[in-house]
Amino acid sequence: MREIILIARREFLARIKNKTFLFMTVLSPLLMVGFFVLSVYMTQMESTQHRILVIDESRLFMDRIPNKASLVEFEYSNEVLLDAEQKFSERGYTALLWISPNVIEGGAGACKLFYSKIPGYALQNHIRTALEKIVYEEKLLANDIQPEVVRNARQHIQLILQQVGQKGSYADADGMRYLGFLMAALMMVFILMYGMMVFRSVLEEKQSRIVEVILTSVRPVKLLIGKISGIALLGLLQFICMGLLTWLLSQGLRQTYLSQSIKLYEVYKSQQATVFKNGAETDFSKLSRFDENLELFDLFKKAETLAFDHVFWVFVAFFLAGFLFYSAFMAAMASAADTEADAQQFLLPVHLPLLAAYFIAVQGMLNPDAAIVQWASWIPFTSPVVMISRITSGIPLLTTVFSWLVLCISFGIMILWSARIYQNGVLNSGKKTRWLDLWRWTKKHH
Amino acid sequence: MLHAENLSKSYHGKCAVNQVSLSVHSGQITGLLGPNGAGKSTVLRMLNRILIPDSGNIQFKQKPLTAQSVQRFGYLPEERGLYRKMKAGEQVMFFAALKGLSRKSCREQALYWFDRLHLMPLWNTRIEQLSKGNQQKIQFITTVVHGPDVLILDEPFSGFDPVNVEQITRELIQFKGSGKAIILSTHNMENAETLCDRIEMMHLGNHVISGGLSELQKNQATHSYLIEYRGLPMAFANALWASAEILHQEPNVQAETHRVIIRVSEGHTIRTIIQQINQSVELVFFKVQVPTLREMFMNQIQNKAVPYA
């Protein structure tokens, strides 16, 4: 046990003192949150100012299309389209929106946007949404229905899945499936990233021949366990640090960027409750409108239903077991390699099952009950990735625990197998290892 | 102290070591000699339990060799390796801890050896920043830091300059004096001749020579003699006639003498030959030619090409 601790400690300290570790731990959450903010910002950013001339031949939209905070300004005119089209840009307009008289009946070409400066997606979306909403309200009014009634009658229904007799594993049927998919991808990346640390460490010790001295003091299996546990601890620490930092950053983001939306969401929830309680007697004229925030509120609701702590711990448990299993496998492969070029060949059996697991996880998103998905949840080569992708789809806790136990037992078998390959492989220098040699080493004691 | 008997090891059906036996005694340096591919490193790995022999057994202090007993060994492999990014002091302490020393002893012993080999200023230097010679010294310290009973050294002098060779040699002699058993594998015959009390020579996986140096020299005697004489070479040759063969001769112009190496033919003795020479020329100097380790080594390689079993 002492040797295992010594080896683990060395592996842990050698890496934690490395600047790359610190850099990765801090930079990854910054990058993750940064990319998220940037992508949201980029889609919303419309730096070009637009003055849009509206020729509304239907007379439905006059002065009703909302301007957008000093960036988009609509001006209305009764000119003929042909004249306006020729001159709108000379008169300082960036676009011309023409609405046909029969827009209410719909059909292609009912609305046209002529432009001199190409309008961004956000602007197009703004115009389309505004027009659709006005047409929608007009149609409701044509049928003697007040739009407020309909607006407040809307209720998002969430279908929560929970297996009879199971606790803790429930999920929004549609909402968080993508989260499972994202976690599967993360799981694959993490296993490969930390597995590669073990791979490189074994290869380095073999190439520098230091392993020959270590093996006089430590049995190969203990050396492997020490090495893997040191890196597993490092991975766990880095994972927790990264998680904590991401959480802190997202909290900061929430306070600065989403605080207003969260307040509005609270108002929206209380309004919904009032409408539910009072029904038709509600005074709709006094209710606030949240049309522009409904999509975001939908996301908030979905996030509220997910048991994040459960998902987090399952992720940590499967990451650890999956890493242990794969790193033992990768250590065996590294011991067989003699050069960097060799190493690529021996990484193939590691990459293939992980890639397969990822594709099965994609399949699992569409059909969580497919036989291949079920099987892959039990096979240790694929279970860490596939199980985590299914966790948001309401997997019973017992199934999750059982799959994890199978993975842990498989690690025990893998480390014994790996140690056999390892003790032969690390001493086999200067001679190219063939796949047949691996088979021989599995059977023969060093 | 360490005794191996009939060790054999094969790789993929090819015999690397065949029925090799050797003993390493306390207070002695045993030289394991042989050309490349002789199987020396395989024997050393088996003595360290890095490899398990296919057959044969190894005993340490009259008991079968165990993992625990190997903790009392210090092993310096031929191809050296250290953790390049680790600091020199940390590295030595890590290896000492692996050999079972307490944290306090690790530090004390490491400091002692750094001081002894004049490496103290390099305690906090990363291995990759050290010169090759200093890296070799660090490697040597990692081998001896835990005060082993047996030292197994594979080419311990490679990579050292003459000053460091001298220093390491002194250390080895001191270890020998303190009762350690040392096994030394080397290609450097001069070093082996100076240091070793016993020689074990291997060739193509087989044990070909074993014994003390003087004992071996006696056994391997070639019946050759160095003779210096004053007189005519023709008269000298006639005096020998068929009783001896001249292997080498050269004139010593300054002394107006001739130096000759002769080998006595079968059925003749050096005593009668000397008498014959004395009658024909003036005998100035006479010495028995003792085979050097290098000569014995070369003789074994050239004459005893033992095929793989």
Side-chain angles (χ1 to χ4, degrees):
Chain A
M1 193 61 194
R2 188 170 177 272
E3 296 104 314
I4 293 179
I5 294 170
L6 279 170
I7 303 276
R9 189 170 166 268
R10 199 209 74 81
E11 291 289 341
F12 182 81
L13 290 178
R15 280 169 181 79
I16 206 163
K17 285 179 188 167
N18 198 326
K19 287 190 187 87
T20 320
F21 172 80
L22 200 68
F23 192 65
M24 278 293 292
T25 312
V26 177
L27 197 70
S28 304
L30 278 175
L31 280 176
M32 272 161 71
V33 175
F35 272 127
F36 175 72
V37 171
L38 193 72
S39 57
V40 171
Y41 183 68
M42 291 291 279
T43 51
Q44 293 191 346
M45 191 180 68
E46 195 71 60
S47 58
T48 317
Q49 287 205 335
H50 286 280
R51 266 183 80 211
I52 299 170
L53 183 65
V54 181
I55 298 178
D56 176 17
E57 293 186 10
S58 69
R59 304 278 159 196
L60 282 175
F61 302 92
M62 292 301 273
D63 300 323
R64 288 178 73 183
I65 306 172
N67 291 342
K68 199 177 175 187
S70 77
L71 278 175
V72 187
E73 197 184 329
F74 293 94
E75 287 175 27
Y76 301 84
S77 162
N78 295 323
E79 293 170 64
V80 182
L81 175 64
L82 266 173
D83 295 343
E85 193 188 340
Q86 301 291 324
K87 292 172 188 167
F88 79 94
S89 57
E90 288 169 20
R91 286 156 59 193
Y93 294 103
T94 53
L96 167 66
L97 175 64
W98 173 80
I99 303 165
S100 79
N102 55 350
V103 64
I104 205 100
E105 282 89 39
C111 297
K112 272 185 184 170
L113 188 68
F114 301 86
Y115 63 86
S116 57
K117 278 184 189 171
I118 191 161
Y121 175 76
L123 175 62
Q124 291 177 46
N125 201 37
H126 177 77
I127 297 172
R128 192 185 301 111
T129 315
L131 296 185
E132 275 174 3
K133 198 173 136 232
I134 294 166
V135 170
Y136 175 69
E137 286 177 358
E138 283 302 318
K139 283 190 174 178
L140 287 177
L141 287 169
N143 289 290
D144 291 332
I145 303 166
Q146 286 300 312
E148 283 81 7
V149 174
V150 176
R151 198 173 299 125
N152 285 296
R154 275 185 68 188
Q155 174 68 43
H156 177 77
I157 301 293
Q158 283 177 289
L159 189 61
I160 304 293
L161 298 186
Q162 182 154 8
Q163 193 170 345
V164 183
Q166 298 292 336
K167 285 182 181 173
S169 184
Y170 52 88
D172 179 359
D174 59 338
M176 287 295 156
R177 198 175 287 165
Y178 290 99
L179 182 70
F181 180 65
L182 178 74
M183 284 195 301
L186 272 180
M187 179 70 81
M188 189 177 79
V189 170
F190 275 126
I191 288 178
L192 265 180
M193 195 167 87
Y194 293 106
M196 277 309 289
M197 283 189 193
V198 175
F199 189 90
R200 293 210 170 281
S201 172
V202 170
L203 194 62
E204 185 202 340
E205 281 180 0
K206 181 182 175 180
Q207 284 179 336
S208 72
R209 308 296 171 89
I210 200 166
V211 69
E212 201 168 331
V213 180
I214 300 177
L215 285 179
T216 61
S217 310
V218 190
R219 277 179 58 211
V221 70
K222 283 186 177 177
L223 175 57
L224 276 189
I225 292 175
K227 190 178 284 296
I228 291 168
S229 21
I231 294 173
L233 272 178
L234 181 94
L236 199 63
L237 178 76
Q238 191 171 36
F239 184 73
I240 289 172
C241 286
M242 277 159 58
L244 206 67
L245 210 58
T246 311
W247 182 78
L248 282 174
L249 281 171
S250 49
Q251 284 301 308
L253 208 67
R254 194 182 138 115
Q255 291 300 322
T256 53
Y257 194 69
L258 293 174
S259 62
Q260 196 57 33
S261 306
I262 291 165
K263 277 180 201 159
L264 288 176
Y265 178 58
E266 292 304 323
V267 177
Y268 170 75
K269 275 203 298 188
S270 68
Q271 264 189 204
Q272 291 270 303
T274 313
V275 173
F276 184 70
K277 192 176 162 192
N278 301 341
E281 291 167 21
T282 314
D283 184 357
F284 289 110
S285 61
K286 287 184 179 173
L287 296 183
S288 311
R289 292 178 62 166
F290 300 101
D291 303 342
E292 289 187 357
N293 291 309
L294 283 175
E295 276 184 37
L296 191 64
F297 290 172
D298 200 34
L299 201 68
F300 286 167
K301 269 188 183 176
K302 285 169 183 173
E304 275 177 356
T305 57
L306 193 84
F308 271 111
D309 55 341
H310 172 74
V311 170
F312 177 80
W313 290 117
V314 170
F315 188 92
V316 170
F318 270 92
F319 161 66
L320 267 183
F323 161 76
L324 291 175
F325 177 80
Y326 262 101
S327 57
F329 185 38
M330 286 167 95
M333 293 296 112
S335 70
D338 205 26
T339 59
E340 288 288 332
D342 259 7
Q344 296 305 318
Q345 173 200 347
F346 287 105
L347 274 173
L348 196 69
V350 177
H351 288 154
L352 282 180
L354 273 175
L355 271 176
Y358 184 71
F359 286 120
I360 293 168
V362 176
Q363 173 70 24
M365 254 179 70
L366 308 169
N367 184 8
D369 274 338
I372 188 164
V373 180
Q374 303 278 346
W375 276 104
S377 304
W378 296 103
I379 297 167
F381 282 98
T382 49
S383 67
V385 175
V386 176
M387 272 309 280
I388 204 67
S389 75
R390 294 175 66 201
I391 202 72
T392 50
S393 317
I395 300 292
L397 188 64
L398 200 66
T399 313
T400 313
V401 171
F402 217 72
S403 164
W404 185 77
L405 282 176
V406 170
L407 188 58
C408 290
I409 294 165
S410 307
F411 161 65
I413 298 166
M414 179 59 90
I415 194 88
L416 291 175
W417 175 82
S418 176
R420 285 211 151 191
I421 300 280
Y422 179 83
Q423 61 197 1
N424 285 286
V426 285
L427 297 173
N428 188 51
S429 297
K431 180 178 170 283
K432 197 170 165 62
T433 309
R434 297 165 302 163
W435 292 105
L436 189 66
D437 294 327
L438 292 188
W439 174 245
R440 279 184 187 147
W441 294 343
T442 313
K443 294 188 291 182
K444 196 186 172 196
H445 200 51
H446 67 151
Chain B
M1 190 180 274
L2 183 65
H3 179 71
E5 203 172 327
N6 298 327
L7 296 183
S8 293
K9 182 76 188 171
S10 303
Y11 297 112
H12 308 317
K14 277 188 179 172
C15 181
V17 172
N18 181 34
Q19 300 280 313
V20 170
S21 300
L22 58 91
S23 295
V24 190
H25 301 285
S26 175
Q28 273 195 0
I29 300 180
T30 302
L32 184 62
L33 311 180
N36 291 333
K40 303 185 299 289
S41 293
T42 305
V43 169
L44 297 187
R45 283 174 175 177
M46 286 191 280
L47 293 179
N48 274 302
R49 288 186 96 243
I50 298 171
L51 293 175
I52 302 295
D54 296 340
S55 64
N57 68 75
I58 305 168
Q59 293 209 320
F60 176 63
K61 293 182 177 172
Q62 280 86 50
K63 286 179 188 161
L65 188 72
T66 60
Q68 210 58 38
S69 34
V70 174
Q71 289 293 70
R72 301 299 312 139
F73 292 9
Y75 177 46
L76 183 74
E78 183 180 4
E79 291 185 71
R80 315 288 152 73
L82 294 165
Y83 291 111
R84 294 176 54 75
K85 302 272 176 199
M86 227 173 162
K87 289 176 182 168
E90 279 178 0
Q91 184 120 217
V92 170
M93 283 176 59
F94 170 68
F95 280 103
L98 275 185
K99 285 290 184 185
L101 259 61
S102 70
R103 197 171 166 71
K104 194 178 161 216
S105 307
C106 285
R107 193 170 177 81
E108 279 171 6
Q109 287 302 309
L111 285 171
Y112 166 78
W113 278 102
F114 267 71
D115 187 41
R116 196 174 166 90
L117 297 187
H118 316 299
L119 292 173
M120 213 46 130
L122 303 177
W123 180 271
N124 277 322
T125 311
R126 282 186 181 193
I127 295 296
E128 61 189 355
Q129 293 167 331
L130 296 179
S131 67
K132 200 182 169 199
N134 282 335
Q135 287 187 20
Q136 296 282 68
K137 278 187 178 178
I138 299 289
Q139 186 99 44
F140 181 76
I141 297 178
T142 62
T143 312
V144 298
V145 67
H146 57 293
D149 295 330
V150 178
L151 277 177
I152 298 175
L153 312 171
D154 202 349
E155 293 292 348
F157 303 109
S158 73
F160 278 129
D161 59 32
V163 178
N164 286 324
V165 168
E166 192 59 36
Q167 189 170 18
I168 299 299
T169 306
R170 275 201 305 273
E171 295 300 337
L172 292 184
I173 292 168
Q174 195 145 2
F175 275 124
K176 178 182 151 182
S178 63
K180 314 272 185 205
I182 302 170
I183 180 160
L184 182 87
S185 163
T186 182
H187 286 123
N188 189 324
M189 297 300 146
E190 287 71 31
N191 275 330
E193 217 161 43
T194 324
L195 281 169
C196 299
D197 304 289
R198 265 187 82 78
I199 299 295
E200 306 286 347
M201 202 177 281
M202 288 182 68
H203 185 40
L204 298 173
N206 291 275
H207 202 173
V208 287
I209 292 180
S210 175
L213 190 62
S214 51
E215 182 191 344
L216 284 179
Q217 283 171 331
K218 197 173 156 192
N219 292 345
Q220 299 284 315
T222 51
H223 305 288
S224 304
Y225 302 89
L226 172 70
I227 293 172
E228 193 169 346
Y229 68 91
R230 191 172 287 121
L232 290 171
M234 185 63 80
F236 180 80
N238 285 339
L240 289 182
W241 193 233
S243 55
E245 173 191 2
I246 297 175
L247 297 178
H248 176 78
Q249 66 177 328
E250 61 183 35
N252 185 348
V253 182
Q254 259 186 333
E256 293 178 345
T257 58
H258 297 272
R259 278 188 165 193
V260 184
I261 297 173
I262 62 161
R263 185 192 288 143
V264 177
S265 306
E266 226 169 295
H268 297 269
T269 62
I270 189 70
R271 185 185 295 270
T272 53
I273 292 171
I274 293 291
Q275 283 169 358
Q276 287 167 21
I277 291 171
N278 260 330
Q279 288 164 11
S280 311
V281 293
E282 181 193 341
L283 189 65
V284 177
F285 178 79
F286 166 81
K287 187 187 157 206
V288 180
Q289 280 289 87
V290 177
T292 61
L293 205 50
R294 178 180 297 281
E295 284 163 345
M296 286 191 272
F297 181 80
M298 294 307 292
N299 186 35
Q300 287 303 323
I301 292 171
Q302 284 159 3
N303 301 336
K304 299 208 173 180
V306 184
Y308 276 119

